[in-house]
Amino acid sequence: MNAKLNISAHVKTHILSLIVCFALSISANLKAQDSGNISGTVVDAESGETLIGVNVVIEGTTKGTSSDLDGNYSIRNVETGTYTLIVSYVSFQRQVITGVEVSIGETLKLDITLQQETETLEDVIVTAEAILNNEAGLLRHRQKSISFSDAISAENISNAGAGNAAAAMTKVTGASVVDGKYIFIRGLGDRYTSTQLNGLELPTADPDKKSFQLDLFPSNLLENIVTLKTFTPDKPGNFSGGLVDIKTKGIPEGFFFSVSAKQGFNESASQKNILLGEKNSSDWIGYDNGYRDAPDIVEGRSNEDFPNDVEARFSPEAAEELDEIAKSFNTSFLPEYSQAGLNQSYSIGIGNRHDFSENVKLGYSLSYSYGMNYSAYENGRNSRYELLGQYEDTNSLSPNLDLVDSKGTQSVDAGLLGSVGLILGNSNRINFSYLNTQSGENSGRYLHGFWEQFNSDDIEYRSRVNQYTERNLSSYQLSGKHTFQELNNLQVHWKTAIQQNGQEEPDLRFIASEARYLYDENHSPIDTLYGNSRSQFPRPARLFRELNESKFSGTLDVTIPVDLFTQTLALKVGALYEATDRSFAERRYEYLQGRNFDLNQLESEEAFLNQTGIIGYDNADRPMVGNYIVSATTNRSSYDANQGINAFYGMVDIDIFEKLKLATGFRYEITDLETISRDSTLSDGDRFGRIDQSDLLPSILLIYSINDNMNFRAAATKTLARPTFRELAPYVSFDFVGDNLFRGNANLERTLITNYDVRWEFYPSPTEVFSLSAFYKNIENPIERVLRFDIAEKAESVQNVEKGRVAGIEVEARKNLGSFADFLSPFQLTANVTYVESEVNIPEQELIQVRQTQDNPELTRSLTGQSPYLVNLDLSYLNPKAGINSNVSFNNFGDRLSKITLGSAPNIYERSYSTLNYNITKAFGKHFSLSFSASNLLNPDVTYSQIFKGEEYIYQQYKTGRSFSFGVKYDF
């Protein structure tokens, strides 16, 4: 794990890389301070495809260039002034662009759309102001794309003041952001969403989830984010809600350097005493430096190698060994209150481009981002209820637990992204990128209150957790794109990646106890005694968990233009290979009580934890042992896993008639997925989780162009969803004593989804769009959260249910308000609404349990995690002359099923709430800007609850608090 690395050396390497790039870029940039650049992308107005080899020349000069295989062009070191560009390409109308103004040290972004040649061969004359909007270019590409897609450009991200990719995704139709980092598309859970970086799927930085943490991508690195809603055979088949493809900035058009800093305040945490776990000197950088590692004395010991109290009573050597083991662990066990600082984030980015000749160009960029944030809540609620008796005869649920919940968290996220690109002529491009993310989270939790099994007002249940979680991800990507003009512009695009991610939880500490209050004859409290009865609680414990995962992936895509009569069709074939390996290990050490020591006689948990090892000697000078530590590790809590994916596809894109386009094909995916528990005593059915399956995934899409600004689309596709490694692994985990356990299920199968989509879309102007979509999904063997009754723990788990369905509509509008009144022209309103209905069959085994207490139970329920509606509203104000950029956004989602409950008790839903955020940026000159943001302004209760006969029963409830931040940024 990265926690074992030399941290200072690791940080110095990152800083040194930035310094070297800065020095190289500055030296190259000094030569061009009295000039500027012109760059952009050239696309076909009819197909939306980029054009290769288009000539772009400055009229009256010898300066010019031609577009590369991505349709990009760049004319560098142009003296300041106003120019006219001449754009020409075989079979396309010649275009003359007037009013092109070049400023010192600036790169003018000028995207060009060419019309195919007609009988009228006159030049098309336009002015630069009409085509400078990069968002317009992305909308044009979306309009001509064969897929149902939604996109957000770097320009729009900047205008919205979004600090990272997750914040930017709140503007995408049908997207909701969970916990500020995970993306749900069309209300479907993370199982049905796939995340790619530059066209290759990312492993999650959270091994218990499928979704990637998008907040790790700073917005200044993004070129665009495209969300595909429909499957095409050239994309992975494991998505149904959406595929989010994050494209980072490639070869820059010229030198850039940016640095930013933000300071933030959260009203629930900042400058307050919050509950945190034990701190370490390296926590500030997201690493544990080994301080929380298990002591050397217990490394390599099996459970049988630990002495016990019986041995210690008769052997001083055994007692001394118990004493040494117990005292070798960190003495800090319980979480403690400590003052939280201000939230803060920093980023630095640099890049440049060197044109060695007309045919050889090299570009590079490097960016580092860092953030530390505090969050906390006090007086939250965590309760559990159950149904006692018959459903029809019972008027209320009975409490099992009712606890006051307090939690604090310090989280650190750091990310390094570097890329190098080489352009060889107009036909060859090679890119390399490196991504490294590191996150560390220190949290403390304290729950106390009523537990039904005590049945006494004088006894309070208490549970404390001291936890540190470290996650890391490294990704190395190498890709190439080549065009063979002599073969009718045949294109070959290949990508490969090596990715490693891991999670470590060193020294997770928890203790559960009872507090017995003692009163005098006037019922005034006089003392408190603590207990830890083995019959009621597990023993206090320390856990060490470590997960490592590596992934190799490679893709090959070949696009073959084929002349067919009077038309040219695009035939595309390709393949994918992906191999993933994971190992997970858990060690558990428990505190036992010596015969000379009784926790039930102590005045605090601290007193128990301090009475460790040898606590004295008896009259015979024999050592007396208080509490001591033994290993309670079980092989069942550790597993290994691997997954291999092989895929092949073929598809064709052809214009059937003048306005009707067909894209169709199939993808053949072979899945070989296996998890293996390290507990060899399990039966094969429980020990081995295996999916060995081949699937043929067809896709057919039709696009009818009603006119130049209006399309109608229809699609029918088949996709799949696989269980995660954690869901297949049969070990048990829990949040706190008394809560539901979670156990994996080795018998899961993959899910198949048949998708039907239609969309009408209208583009009244280059920056506006209106669309109406409808979709239906038929789901075979969906994987759902359930309570299993066929295992000893009666744990919450996952299993395949028979079938499910999802149906919904989406409405999107992006409108500039200047059409209503001139003074409203700086305002743009973006609104999208998604309405979804979902349904799955309840498993028969669960229905058997429900019918014991309810006569006519429901036979179906909604999909877990499925929101019935999503609303995203965004109002932007952009005034370039004043340098003001402002944005207010609103989001709301409907109640979504969170957990399945026992018997006829109502299921638990995450209740609807609204979020409101505001951001404003003011530029000062060309290089400096200040920003202010306010998030979670409504500060709603985050509530999980049950509704029974009209009354709400809280399962969990807390507030996260409002956050405010000020930032400064320098761009060069």
Side-chain angles (χ1 to χ4, degrees), residues 663-681:
T664 186
F666 66 89
R667 185 180 185 90
Y668 185 68
E669 286 201 355
I670 304 169
T671 303
D672 186 2
L673 190 160
E674 184 178 50
T675 61
I676 306 171
S677 171
R678 296 183 188 174
D679 186 356
S680 59
T681 65

Side-chain angles (χ1 to χ4, degrees), residues 620-746:
D621 203 29
R622 290 176 301 186
M624 299 170 57
V625 175
N627 62 62
Y628 60 96
I629 295 176
V630 298
S631 174
T633 301
T634 63
N635 289 330
R636 186 174 299 189
S637 297
S638 301
Y639 70 93
D640 298 292
N642 59 80
Q643 176 178 270
I645 306 293
N646 290 278
F648 311 91
Y649 76 88
M651 61 181 294
V652 64
D653 180 359
I654 185 173
D655 293 330
I656 301 177
F657 303 110
E658 182 180 355
K659 294 188 175 183
L660 183 63
K661 176 179 287 190
L662 168 69
T664 186
F666 66 89
R667 185 180 185 90
Y668 185 68
E669 286 201 355
I670 304 169
T671 303
D672 186 2
L673 190 160
E674 184 178 50
T675 61
I676 306 171
S677 171
R678 296 183 188 174
D679 186 356
S680 59
T681 65
L682 291 173
S683 66
D684 287 351
D686 285 331
R687 187 184 181 199
F688 295 93
R690 184 75 185 270
I691 294 178
D692 187 359
Q693 189 77 43
S694 299
D695 294 292
L696 186 66
L697 306 174
S699 170
I700 181 169
L701 299 94
L702 290 169
I703 305 102
Y704 179 70
S705 298
I706 301 172
N707 56 44
D708 288 343
N709 298 321
M710 192 179 299
N711 290 334
F712 178 80
R713 301 173 181 271
T717 63
K718 178 167 282 189
T719 56
L720 57 84
R722 303 181 183 95
T724 65
F725 288 141
R726 173 64 186 95
E727 290 171 337
L728 278 170
Y731 80 94
V732 176
S733 59
F734 65 96
D735 285 334
F736 62 88
V737 178
D739 193 22
N740 286 346
L741 305 175
F742 178 81
R743 187 181 194 271
N745 180 0

Side-chain angles (χ1 to χ4, degrees), residues 25 28-40 56 58 63 65 73-81 83 85 100-111 132 251-256 351-355 972:
S25 298
N29 188 61
L30 290 175
K31 301 176 182 179
Q33 286 304 295
D34 58 348
S35 62
N37 306 317
I38 306 171
S39 68
V56 184
I58 299 178
K63 281 188 174 292
T65 188
Y73 74 93
S74 179
I75 306 174
R76 296 167 56 76
N77 299 326
V78 181
E79 293 183 0
T80 59
Y83 298 94
L85 291 186
V100 179
E101 295 185 6
V102 179
S103 303
I104 293 177
E106 298 291 323
T107 296
L108 176 66
K109 186 73 172 175
L110 192 63
D111 292 334
L132 284 178
I251 296 177
E253 301 302 336
F255 173 77
F256 77 89
N352 206 347
R353 172 178 175 142
H354 302 279
D355 292 355
F972 184 81

